[in-house]
Amino acid sequence: MPVQDWQSDAEATIDAHLRAVAGRDLDTFAATVHPEVTVIIPSGRILRGAEEVVAFHREWFTDGDWTYATAPVLATSTATTATRVLEVTVVGEPGAEPSRFLMGLTFVAESGRWLLIHDQCTIGRPA
């Protein structure tokens, strides 16, 4: 797969990744995922490796009429690592009660590309 222009820039890759989820664009999503990625979904289930993560998203992207929105909370970047913490709101179907959680993303620079290596979702608990 040829490297896209946005893949050499951390912020552009993160933006493309988030747009791919919201837009259910599996090809772009897959292009942002490291082969050894780990994803922890809000239920606590751990997904390991790009194949499992992409398969999970393939199924989710075709499941229902959900919406997905993010709001930035924290961002840090170095020459080889970019992390983001976002507040995520998912609405399962029109009129449904929103589900909110925090999502931490870690992207690494590898071979001229930025790729998601870790994604962890955490549901907030009332104090």
Side-chain angles (χ1 to χ4, degrees):
M1 174 181 310
V3 176
Q4 304 295 315
D5 288 338
W6 52 262
Q7 289 178 305
S8 63
D9 176 81
E11 197 62 39
T13 300
I14 295 167
D15 289 345
H17 176 83
L18 296 172
R19 281 192 316 275
V21 174
R24 304 175 193 216
D25 177 352
L26 191 64
D27 290 338
T28 299
F29 175 83
T32 67
V33 175
H34 191 282
E36 301 301 321
V37 67
T38 300
V39 174
I40 303 172
I41 63 175
S43 69
R45 178 178 165 199
I46 300 172
L47 308 174
R48 294 176 179 93
E51 186 175 318
E52 184 176 10
V53 169
V54 171
F56 173 87
H57 283 79
R58 179 181 295 112
E59 183 176 326
W60 181 42
F61 286 3
T62 62
D63 183 29
D65 193 22
W66 52 265
T67 61
Y68 174 94
T70 62
V73 176
L74 297 169
T76 60
S77 295
T78 70
T80 58
T81 306
T83 62
R84 300 295 182 269
V85 176
L86 304 136
E87 183 177 339
V88 178
T89 303
V90 176
V91 179
E93 58 190 42
E97 187 71 25
S99 172
R100 292 186 176 87
F101 54 90
L102 290 176
M103 178 173 64
L105 302 174
T106 303
F107 284 77
V108 294
E110 189 171 285
S111 302
R113 300 172 57 191
W114 285 88
L115 298 168
L116 177 70
I117 190 75
H118 185 75
D119 172 339
Q120 180 160 352
C121 300
T122 304
I123 297 174
R125 303 276 188 241

